[in-house]
């Protein structure tokens, strides 16, 4: 470019009033593009017309060092909301210029000024003012005056697209014809950059781009552009399409071919909703080709002849299909705000794919963050705190204990208080947290986010074709492996640590009373029943008395029936030998018993030898003491009195109802109950009141004794090693909280998707919901600890049940319908709210509050380099055991389904493979000794989809391995169920795995340097090199061991 340096110097030194904008900007020096850890230089910058002057330093009086001509360039702002950076990119393909402002507001001012500085910005403003002038002339006020408003304050006259909410406003596909590369002897490797020009704001935003199609002059791009409901696009919005030729893909070098611009309204108003636009090159003279823009729309005639082959797609009419997406799987989305509450920041992708029959199908990907990532952990921490505080109160109410047991109680109390304090601090920090609605993998090491799952997202693929029979929705919840990363894996994960702790408890049985894990679980179950049934009994006794006071026969019968059922459950809950033995053990822990025993030993020293002999005969498994002086019948009397009290109430109610019907007295000699009924026939309330009080007293006495006995049993659980016991307690809380957040997310989307599927709803309340977790963790190094944590967390999900309730909202209310978790550690209920209109479509069993059980299964196959090391030099038995155990659980669920339901409840698929054959294939693959047998995961996923289950995919961070698995599964589904053309399988897979598509879909840029597919430590060397020589292998093992020891020390 020719220029007059003296004139430019004169312009640069003009007074400030001469410039449109000036101020300090940070630049990268001569390199222009920013590199990692590069220091920036502050310079005073002055903008005049289309010239940006960069002075030598930050002084406004310094000489200019560089001048930038702002023509044929784009001003791109950083997507990070906290960033103050912008980049000037040139259409010629020259390196961009990185600039950084001093503040966010200053950055916005610079972007607005720079975008208006070139001739294109001036032309846009002139065209806009001309159009505005024409509109004003055509539309004058009644008094003949023109309604002229200044541009910044003018309300937008643009017409919005997308009349139906929750549908994409616009979707289009792209294809090019007769492209000419810069080098005439080669065919271009082209892709299209899509940029949005907003006429109201006069802004330019880089939106998306297609995949790169190699070696053709007539590329048809599978990746299209989709604009979600909330995106500000209007009929007058202009879209700029820039076509580039990628010369060397590995180095990402590209050259500009041409560009074209069209208005959205022109596309929608065209006869076939297709535009063919000539591309404009840089010189404006040569011809480089055309670009075809086709609006994706519903409504292709199903009987239309389709003689075209996939190779002729560039010359045929575009006919792809839009439709219901994440928010449109029900009939009335306007009244349904559940998904709006649970899912945020939805990212949309659309693909136009050919089928084997010559037709086209539209595949949409949606990825959404879930607010449950933080909501559920907050609720769980609150429940943990409440339960532990109640545990402390139960320990205090245990009464007097001997010195040995009282010391144990005090130590446990101190550790529980520390745990409650740490939970309260963590809850406070979570309540303060503001930012994204998911936890990125780089935050695994943050203590305050320990209970939050890593990268919890919903991945949905919605398929629509010209035949409704082949449409489908496929959801996968992606989540980082539920694991306690903060607590480390030096001693393994939960599975191994729990096994070791159980062994320590057995070895310390001489000091404490040993209870098996089954006994401990039973004790927790008894306490759960106490907290669950006691309020119900009190409520129903009050209802019974209310019905008696009102002399309502129907209400009296209903209340008595409910009370009888609850009392029967209450009585059976305490019918266990563990309760009797625990009462005996608690009796022997009282100071009165110790003192009495001590006095007996003083008066009868000969009895010492006999007691020692008896203790030696007692085995370690039967370490619960038996005492002949303890009256075991006393507990039986108290327990049986509950049933007797209920029988008296039943007899009284029958007598009162009989007298009410007949109005006559019996002639036979009355029983005591009959005497009371006769004397109070005119007042039912006074007749029932003393009997109800007796029942309540009996219930209170049973609960008091049973709760103390079970609390004493749980006290022994920490006896051998209190710090370790409570550390395992906390670790289990952490991984369970992460797993539960993912489960609730999956249940909500599954219920929403299948709300009108009566077969699914019948299956849901009859046999429960299948939940299948797919793990991609290796059985080597730290990941084996993650696998152990994850397996225990998924087992604990069996303690969860769901309950659908009607949301109590006013007509105009738009409250967030968040799920609510209640219960204690051994049984949780998740209440999912539905608005009244949607609640009415549910079966009566679900509306009546029936608990909906879940059946989690977990299959894991390691696929990375670490798994190769584990298979060659390590141990993969844990993976094999987990897969075998969960195959039994899956088979048990299917057997229960066959016994209770028919196959008509299940969804129909195009692939004609019987479920029994899939089970047989899964069993064979699990038993096969094949390395990295991913067929296990593929078959398990197919079974889950066939059985209406929820799919989860996990790896260490739910990034690389997870995205590879999900995209492969999606393409397999497209081929098997929707007839994707085999020649386009790899291309479709590459589109879904492209750096832009999957990088954006998997969240913002992650500063974490290490990849999921790489070993986490730097001392892993290529296995092929190590196999060359046994000496190298020995050296590698020694170095690895030394580095591991240094790391853990």
């Amino acid at each position: 470019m020719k220029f007059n340096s003296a004139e430019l110097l004169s312009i640069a030194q003009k007074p400030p009033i001469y410039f449109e904008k000036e101020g300090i900007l940070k630049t990268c020096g001569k390199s222009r593009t920013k590199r990692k850890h590069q220091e920036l230089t502050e310079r005073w910058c002055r903008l005049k017309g289309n010239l940006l002057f960069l002075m030598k330093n930050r002084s406004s009086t310094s000489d200019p060092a560089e001048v930038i001509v702002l023509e044929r360039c784009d001003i791109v702002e950083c997507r990070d909301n906290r960033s103050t950076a912008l980049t000037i990119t040139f259409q010629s393909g020259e390196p961009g210029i990185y600039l950084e402002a001093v503040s966010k507001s200053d950055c916005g001012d610079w972007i607005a000024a720079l975008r208006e500085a070139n001739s294109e910005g001036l032309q846009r403003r002139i065209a806009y003012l001309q159009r505005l002038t024409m509109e004003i002339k055509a539309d004058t006020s009644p008094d003949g005056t023109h309604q002229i408003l200044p541009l910044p304050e003018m309300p937008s006259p643009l017409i919005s697209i997308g009349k139906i909410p929750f549908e994409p406003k616009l979707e289009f596909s792209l294809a090019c014809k007769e492209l000419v590369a810069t080098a005439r002897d080669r065919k271009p490797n082209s892709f299209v950059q899509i940029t949005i020009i907003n006429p109201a704001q006069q802004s330019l935003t880089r939106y998306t781009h297609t995949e790169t199609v190699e070696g053709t002059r007539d590329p048809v791009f599978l990746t299209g552009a989709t604009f979600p409901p909330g995106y500000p696009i209007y009929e007058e919005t202009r879209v700029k399409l820039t076509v580039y030729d990628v010369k060397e893909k590995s180095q990402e070098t590209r050259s500009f071919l041409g560009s074209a611009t069209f208005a959205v309204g022109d596309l929608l108003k065209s006869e076939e909703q297709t535009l063919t636009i000539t591309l404009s090159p840089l010189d404006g003279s040569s011809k480089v080709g055309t670009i075809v823009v086709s609006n994706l729309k519903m409504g292709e005639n199903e009987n239309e002849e389709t003689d075209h082959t996939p190779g002729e797609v560039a010359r045929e009419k575009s006919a792809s299909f839009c439709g219901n997406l994440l928010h449109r799987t029900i009939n009335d989305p306007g009244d349904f705000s559940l998904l709006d509450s649970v899912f945020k920041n939805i990212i949309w992708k659309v693909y136009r794919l050919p089928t084997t029959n010559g037709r086209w199908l539209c595949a949409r990907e949606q990825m959404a963050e879930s607010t449950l990532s933080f909501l559920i952990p907050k609720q769980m921490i609150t429940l943990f705190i409440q339960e532990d505080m109640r545990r402390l109160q139960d320990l205090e109410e245990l009464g007097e204990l001997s010195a040995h047991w009282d010391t144990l109680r005090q130590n446990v109390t101190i550790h529980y208080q520390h745990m409650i304090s740490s939970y309260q601090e963590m809850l406070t920090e979570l309540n303060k947290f503001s930012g994204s609605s998911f936890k990125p993998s780089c935050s695994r090491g943050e203590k305050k986010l320990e209970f939050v799952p890593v990268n919890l997202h919903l991945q949905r693929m919605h398929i629509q074709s010209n035949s409704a029979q082949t449409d489908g929705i496929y959801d996968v919840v992606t989540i980082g492996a539920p694991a306690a990363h903060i607590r480390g894996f030096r001693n393994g994960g939960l599975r191994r640590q729990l096994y070791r702790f159980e062994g320590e408890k057995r070895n310390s049985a001489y000091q404490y009373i040993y209870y098996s894990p089954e006994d401990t679980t039973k004790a927790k179950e008894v306490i759960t029943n106490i907290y669950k049934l006691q309020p119900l009994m009190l409520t129903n006794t009050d209802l019974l008395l209310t019905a008696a006071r009102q002399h309502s026969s129907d209400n009296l019968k209903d209340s008595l029936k409910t009370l009888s059922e609850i009392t029967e459950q209450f009585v059976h809950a305490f019918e266990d030998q563990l309760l009797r033995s625990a009462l005996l053990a608690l009796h022997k822990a009282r100071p009165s018993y110790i003192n009495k025993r001590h006095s007996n030993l003083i008066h009868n020293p000969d009895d010492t030898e006999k007691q020692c002999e008896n203790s030696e005969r007692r085995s370690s498994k039967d370490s619960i003491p038996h005492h002949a002086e303890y009256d075991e019948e006393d507990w039986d009397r108290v327990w049986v009195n509950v049933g007797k009290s209920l029988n008296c109430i039943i007899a009284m109610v029958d007598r009162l109802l009989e007298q009410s019907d007949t109005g006559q007295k019996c002639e036979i000699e009355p029983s005591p109950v009959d005497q009371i009924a006769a004397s109070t026939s005119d007042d039912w309330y006074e007749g029932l009141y003393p009997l109800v009080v007796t029942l309540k007293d009996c219930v209170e006495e049973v609960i008091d004794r049973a709760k103390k006995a079970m609390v004493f049993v749980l006290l022994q659980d920490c006896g051998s090693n209190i710090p370790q016991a409570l550390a395992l307690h906390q670790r289990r809380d952490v991984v369970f909280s992460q797993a539960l957040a993912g489960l609730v997310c999956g249940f909500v989307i599954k219920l929403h998707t299948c709300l009108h599927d009566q077969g699914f709803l019948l299956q849901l309340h009859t046999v429960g919901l299948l939940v299948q977790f797919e793990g991609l963790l290796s059985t080597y190094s730290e990941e084996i600890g993650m696998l152990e944590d994850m397996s225990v967390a998924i087992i604990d999900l069996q303690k969860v049940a769901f309950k659908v309730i009607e949301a109590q909202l006013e007509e105009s209310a738009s409250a967030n319908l968040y799920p609510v978790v209640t219960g204690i550690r051994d049984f949780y209920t998740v209440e999912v709210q539905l608005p009244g209109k949607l609640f009415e479509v549910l079966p009566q069993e679900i509306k009546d509050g029936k608990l909906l059980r879940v059946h989690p299964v977990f299959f894991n196959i390691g696929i990375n380099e670490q798994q190769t090391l584990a298979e060659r030099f390590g141990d993969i038995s844990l993976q094999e055991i987990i897969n075998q155990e969960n195959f039994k659980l899956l088979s048990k669920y299917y057997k229960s389904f066959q016994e209770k339901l028919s196959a008509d409840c299940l969804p129909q698929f195009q692939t004609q493979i019987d479920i029994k054959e899939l089970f047989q294939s899964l069993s064979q693959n699990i038993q096969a000794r094949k390395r990295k047998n991913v067929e296990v995961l593929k078959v398990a996923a197919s079974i889950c989809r066939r059985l209406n289950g929820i799919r989860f995919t996990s790896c260490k961070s739910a990034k690389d391995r997870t995205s590879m698995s999900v995209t492969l599964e999606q393409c397999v589904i497209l081929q098997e169920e929707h007839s994707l053309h085999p020649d386009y399988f790899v291309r479709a897979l590459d589109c879904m795995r492209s750096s832009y598509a999957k990088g954006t879909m998997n969240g913002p840029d992650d500063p974490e340097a290490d990849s999921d597919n790489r070993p986490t430590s730097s001392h892993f060397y290529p296995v092929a090199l190590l196999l060359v020589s046994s000496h190298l292998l020995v050296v590698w093992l020694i170095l690895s061991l030394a580095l591991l020891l240094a790391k853990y020390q």
Side-chain angles (χ1 to χ4, degrees):
M1 176 187 295
K2 294 182 178 180
F3 62 92
N4 189 323
S5 57
E7 186 176 353
L8 288 177
L9 180 62
S10 174
I11 294 175
Q13 294 176 343
K14 294 281 187 179
I17 194 173
Y18 185 77
F19 297 92
E20 283 84 2
K21 183 172 177 58
E22 60 178 351
I24 295 176
L25 289 174
K26 297 178 183 179
T27 67
C28 299
K30 295 182 179 180
S31 62
R32 290 197 169 192
T33 56
K34 186 180 179 183
R35 298 174 182 174
K36 194 172 184 181
H37 306 303
Q38 180 181 0
E39 294 186 2
L40 302 178
T41 304
E42 291 187 347
R43 292 188 178 184
W44 188 265
C45 299
R46 316 184 88 178
L47 178 65
K48 175 60 180 175
N50 62 351
L51 300 179
L52 177 64
F53 294 93
L54 278 64
M55 317 306 279
K56 289 184 177 180
N57 52 46
R58 57 177 298 156
S59 174
S60 60
T61 60
S62 60
D63 294 333
E66 188 177 358
V67 62
I68 301 172
V69 181
L70 301 173
E71 291 295 340
R72 292 188 177 274
C73 64
D74 298 329
I75 312 301
V76 181
E77 60 180 321
C78 182
R79 293 195 172 189
D80 189 351
N81 293 330
R82 294 171 294 181
S83 177
T84 61
L86 59 98
T87 303
I88 303 176
T89 61
F90 297 94
Q91 297 176 0
S92 60
E94 297 180 12
I97 299 176
Y98 179 87
L99 300 173
E100 192 168 301
V102 295
S103 66
K104 183 66 178 177
S105 59
D106 189 41
C107 179
D109 294 340
W110 274 110
I111 291 174
L114 294 174
R115 284 174 173 171
E116 293 295 330
N118 55 18
S119 58
E120 292 181 0
L122 182 61
Q123 291 174 0
R124 288 196 302 268
R125 190 169 182 84
I126 292 173
Y128 178 80
L129 292 175
Q130 289 175 343
R131 186 168 60 254
L132 182 62
T133 303
M134 297 299 295
E135 291 176 356
I136 292 173
K137 289 181 179 180
D139 184 17
T140 58
S141 59
D143 57 1
T145 60
H146 298 285
Q147 299 177 356
I148 302 178
L149 298 175
L151 178 62
E153 301 178 3
M154 183 189 67
S156 176
L158 308 181
I159 303 172
S160 177
I161 304 170
K163 304 300 181 182
I164 304 177
F166 309 124
E167 281 191 355
K169 287 188 175 182
L170 176 69
E171 290 180 320
F172 59 80
S173 63
L174 297 170
C176 291
K177 297 180 181 179
E178 301 176 357
L179 291 181
V180 178
T182 52
R184 302 279 178 171
D185 57 341
R186 58 178 288 271
K187 296 181 179 180
N189 305 322
S190 56
F191 76 92
V192 181
Q193 175 71 52
I194 301 168
T195 308
I196 305 303
I197 305 171
N198 193 312
Q201 301 176 358
Q202 293 293 294
S203 61
L204 185 144
T205 304
R206 183 176 296 177
Y207 187 72
T208 186
H209 64 70
T210 66
E211 80 279 10
T212 301
V213 180
E214 300 181 0
T216 177
R217 300 184 188 276
D218 301 320
V220 178
F221 301 100
L222 302 185
T223 304
T226 178
F227 298 87
Y231 193 85
I233 187 170
Y234 310 93
E235 287 190 3
E236 295 195 8
T237 300
R238 299 190 67 80
V239 180
K240 182 177 181 181
L241 307 175
T242 308
V243 183
Y244 292 96
D245 177 18
V246 180
K247 295 181 179 179
E248 296 182 17
K249 195 172 182 180
S250 59
Q251 300 180 5
E252 297 183 354
T253 59
R254 64 185 184 182
S255 62
F256 174 82
L257 289 182
S259 64
T261 305
F262 70 93
V264 173
D266 294 342
L267 175 63
L268 298 179
K269 294 173 184 177
S270 60
E271 184 176 353
E272 296 184 351
Q273 295 197 351
T274 300
L275 295 177
T276 302
I277 312 171
T278 302
L279 294 173
S280 302
L282 281 176
D283 54 14
S285 58
S286 60
K287 184 178 180 181
V288 295
T290 58
I291 188 168
V292 180
V293 186
S294 303
N295 181 31
L296 299 183
K297 58 185 184 300
M298 289 289 291
E300 182 184 11
N301 187 359
E302 188 169 345
N303 297 323
E304 182 181 349
E305 295 295 330
T306 55
D307 297 331
H308 302 294
T309 63
E312 302 172 325
V313 292
R315 297 173 175 80
E316 72 172 333
K317 174 184 174 181
S318 171
S320 294
F321 306 90
C322 302
N324 303 332
L325 293 180
L326 182 59
H327 295 280
R328 287 286 299 196
T329 51
I330 56 174
N331 293 333
D332 193 4
D335 296 331
F336 191 68
S337 58
L338 176 60
L339 291 188
D340 295 327
S341 302
V342 173
F343 298 104
K344 302 291 183 182
N345 301 329
I346 304 173
I347 297 176
W348 305 50
K349 291 289 174 182
V350 62
Y351 307 98
R352 179 173 176 262
L353 306 170
T355 62
T356 53
N357 58 7
R359 296 177 180 268
W360 294 88
L361 60 85
C362 182
R364 271 181 207 83
E365 277 186 317
Q366 290 172 278
M367 189 166 193
E369 302 172 9
S370 176
T371 56
L372 301 181
S373 294
F374 286 86
L375 177 69
I376 297 300
K378 288 178 184 178
Q379 294 186 19
M380 294 307 301
I381 295 174
T382 302
L383 292 176
F384 293 152
I385 293 172
Q386 294 173 355
E387 182 180 350
D388 292 339
M389 293 180 70
R390 191 161 52 236
R391 180 70 58 82
L392 289 179
Q393 184 179 356
D394 292 341
L395 288 173
E396 291 179 3
E397 295 174 353
L398 203 54
E400 287 187 308
L401 296 175
S402 63
H404 173 73
W405 299 113
D406 192 55
T407 302
L408 174 61
R409 174 170 60 179
Q410 292 176 7
N411 292 334
V412 172
T413 300
I414 292 172
H415 282 82
Y416 263 110
Q417 289 172 345
H418 287 314
M419 188 166 67
I420 291 172
S421 177
S422 66
Y423 279 10
Q424 289 172 339
E425 293 176 2
M426 202 168 299
L427 183 60
T428 302
E429 291 297 325
L430 279 179
N431 289 329
K432 293 179 182 178
F433 182 83
S434 60
S436 62
S437 54
F438 74 99
K439 172 184 170 182
S441 59
C442 59
S443 300
R444 285 197 306 261
E446 293 188 28
K447 179 70 174 177
K448 65 180 180 180
L449 302 180
E450 185 177 18
F451 286 79
V452 181
V454 177
N455 278 334
L456 175 61
H457 289 84
L458 170 68
Q459 177 85 19
R460 162 165 287 192
M461 181 177 67
H462 187 196
I463 310 300
Q464 287 197 328
S465 65
N466 57 340
S467 173
Q469 296 179 353
T470 59
D471 292 355
I473 295 177
Y474 305 92
D475 294 327
V476 178
V477 178
T478 59
I479 180 175
H485 298 280
I486 299 294
R487 302 173 187 273
F489 306 96
R490 184 174 182 179
N491 298 319
L494 265 176
R495 192 180 181 110
R496 193 186 319 173
Q497 292 184 30
L498 289 171
Y499 179 79
R500 290 174 180 170
F501 180 69
E502 195 61 33
E504 292 181 6
K505 282 173 57 179
R506 290 192 185 94
N507 296 333
S508 62
Y510 66 92
Q511 238 178 348
Y512 304 96
I513 302 174
Y514 172 71
Y515 290 98
S516 66
E518 293 76 15
D519 291 336
T520 303
T521 302
K522 182 63 180 178
K524 293 178 180 178
E525 183 181 341
V526 170
I527 294 178
T528 302
N529 287 327
I530 289 175
Y531 290 125
K532 177 183 176 182
L533 297 176
Q534 184 182 16
L536 294 176
M537 293 193 67
L538 295 177
T539 300
N540 282 278
T541 52
D542 293 340
L543 291 176
L544 184 70
L545 292 176
T546 301
R549 182 183 285 111
Q550 297 173 351
H551 283 255
S552 173
S553 301
D554 294 336
N555 291 341
L556 194 66
K557 292 178 182 178
D558 294 340
S559 300
L560 181 61
K561 180 181 178 182
T562 306
L563 180 62
S564 301
E565 294 174 353
I566 297 174
T567 305
E568 184 179 358
Q569 296 179 29
F570 182 84
V571 172
H572 286 301
F574 302 107
E575 189 179 5
D576 194 274
Q577 182 62 34
L578 173 64
L579 196 52
R580 293 181 172 83
S581 62
L583 286 168
L584 172 59
L586 178 59
H587 172 75
K588 298 191 70 174
R590 298 297 186 189
S592 57
Y593 172 79
I594 300 297
N595 295 335
K596 183 177 180 181
R597 182 184 178 189
H598 181 68
S599 61
N600 290 338
L601 289 176
I602 293 175
H603 292 90
N604 301 302
D606 295 336
D607 293 341
T608 307
E609 292 185 15
K610 297 179 180 179
Q611 292 180 359
C612 292
E613 292 175 1
N614 292 333
S615 63
E616 290 176 359
R617 292 173 189 158
R618 193 184 307 131
S619 64
S620 61
K621 292 185 179 180
D622 190 20
S623 59
I624 301 175
H626 297 275
H627 186 50
E629 296 182 1
Y630 178 70
D631 187 7
E632 296 185 5
E633 294 182 359
D634 182 53
W635 162 252
D636 293 333
R637 287 192 294 270
V638 172
W639 173 59
V640 172
N641 282 342
V642 176
K644 290 182 178 180
S645 300
L646 177 65
N647 291 334
C648 291
I649 293 176
I650 293 174
M652 172 61 73
V653 170
D654 291 342
R655 183 64 177 171
L656 292 174
L657 293 176
E658 182 181 353
Q659 289 184 355
S660 176
D661 293 338
T662 61
Q664 299 177 356
K665 297 183 179 180
C666 297
E667 297 180 358
I668 61 173
E669 183 178 352
S671 65
V673 174
D674 294 335
Q675 292 177 358
I676 298 175
S679 61
T680 60
S681 58
D682 295 332
D683 194 342
W684 292 4
Y685 178 82
E686 292 187 6
L688 286 174
Y689 181 78
L691 300 177
V692 170
V693 170
T694 302
L695 175 63
K696 288 183 177 181
D697 292 341
C698 294
V699 169
E700 287 292 337
E701 187 173 1
V702 168
I703 287 176
D704 180 67
R705 295 193 184 192
K707 186 162 70 171
K708 288 180 179 179
M710 296 299 98
V711 170
F712 186 73
V713 171
L714 297 180
L715 182 62
Q716 314 305 312
D717 195 40
C718 304
S720 60
N721 190 333
I722 297 175
Q724 183 183 0
L726 296 185
L728 288 174
H729 201 63
Q730 288 179 287
R731 190 182 190 104
R732 201 162 188 169
D733 288 347
V734 168
V735 299
F736 177 75
S737 173
Q738 297 176 17
L740 181 61
L743 175 63
V744 177
C745 174
F747 181 87
V748 168
I749 190 62
K750 186 66 177 180
L751 178 65
H752 175 264
T753 305
C754 302
L755 197 59
H756 297 282
D757 185 347
Q758 295 301 318
F760 167 77
L761 296 176
L762 177 62
Q763 177 185 353
L764 183 62
H765 70 78
T766 305
V767 296
L769 180 63
L770 178 64
V771 180
Q772 188 245 328
F773 285 82
E774 174 183 299
L776 304 169
L777 296 169
S778 67
T779 55
Y780 191 83
S781 187
E782 289 187 346
E783 289 198 9
I784 194 171
M786 300 176 198
L787 182 59
E788 292 173 344
D789 277 358
M790 185 175 180
S791 63
V792 174
I794 293 174
I795 291 173
D796 287 347
L797 291 179
Q798 297 175 359
K799 302 181 294 187
V800 179
F802 287 86
K803 183 179 180 181
V804 184
I805 62 175
E806 183 176 4
Q808 302 299 324
L809 298 176
E810 298 179 1
E811 294 184 0
S812 60
S814 58
N816 291 325
L817 303 180
Y818 291 126
V820 179
V821 186
T822 58
I824 61 175
R825 282 183 177 89
D826 295 289
F827 183 77
Y828 289 103
T829 301
V830 183
E831 294 182 349
V832 179
Q833 304 180 69
L834 284 181
K837 292 182 179 179
L838 300 177
F839 187 77
E840 290 300 321
V841 306
L842 296 174
Q844 190 61 42
E845 292 84 355
I846 298 180
K847 289 195 288 186
D848 290 342
K850 184 175 181 179
L851 295 180
L852 312 174
R853 310 295 303 198
V854 294
H855 301 269
V857 294
F858 174 40
F859 295 95
N860 185 86
I861 296 293
I863 61 173
N864 62 355
E865 294 93 333
Q866 293 187 18
Q867 185 63 21
T868 302
L869 296 175
E871 291 175 344
R872 289 182 180 272
F873 312 112
D875 182 17
I876 62 171
S877 58
L878 175 62
Q879 175 177 282
E880 295 174 348
I881 293 172
I882 289 175
N883 291 341
Q884 291 169 4
E885 290 176 350
N886 285 273
F887 176 75
K888 294 178 181 178
L889 293 176
L890 183 60
S891 301
K892 181 180 178 181
Y893 175 83
Y894 181 58
K895 182 179 180 181
S896 174
F897 176 89
Q898 288 180 308
E899 293 174 351
K900 299 178 181 179
L901 297 172
S902 66
D904 296 336
C905 298
L906 299 178
Q908 300 297 322
F909 289 86
Q910 297 295 319
T911 307
Q912 301 297 325
I913 301 179
D914 189 66
I915 297 183
K916 294 181 180 179
E917 295 181 14
L918 292 176
F919 269 94
Q920 185 178 2
S921 174
L922 181 60
S923 176
Q924 292 173 352
N925 280 283
I926 289 176
Q927 298 298 329
R929 295 281 181 173
K930 182 180 178 182
R931 294 177 179 176
K932 297 184 180 180
N933 190 5
V934 294
E935 193 69 19
V936 171
L937 304 180
K938 178 183 177 182
V939 178
S942 298
I943 293 175
C944 177
R945 287 192 296 268
R946 292 294 187 91
L947 294 179
N948 260 328
I950 308 175
R951 286 268 299 112
F952 291 82
T953 300
S954 297
C955 64
K956 178 181 177 181
S957 303
K959 293 195 305 183
D960 297 342
R961 280 173 280 179
T962 297
S963 61
M964 296 286 280
S965 174
V966 170
T967 51
L968 178 60
E969 179 181 352
Q970 290 179 167
C971 288
V972 170
I973 291 173
L974 286 169
Q975 188 175 49
E976 294 182 351
E977 302 294 335
H978 301 279
S979 305
L980 172 67
H981 199 286
D983 295 343
Y984 285 79
F985 181 90
V986 176
R987 271 194 63 186
L989 187 61
D990 289 342
C991 288
M992 295 180 179
R993 289 180 175 177
S994 64
S995 59
Y996 179 83
K998 298 316 295 181
T1000 305
M1001 298 285 280
N1002 284 328
D1005 294 338
D1006 194 340
E1008 184 183 31
D1010 62 318
S1011 170
D1012 256 355
N1013 284 335
R1014 300 173 188 163
T1016 56
S1017 302
S1018 59
H1019 60 275
F1020 293 114
Y1021 309 109
V1023 177
L1025 175 64
L1026 299 175
L1027 295 179
V1028 173
S1029 169
S1030 60
H1031 299 290
L1032 285 176
L1033 179 59
V1034 173
V1035 171
W1036 173 77
L1037 290 173
I1038 294 174
L1039 289 175
S1040 299
L1041 180 61
L1043 288 172
L1044 284 174
L1045 291 175
K1047 176 183 177 182
Y1048 290 124
Q1049 289 177 357

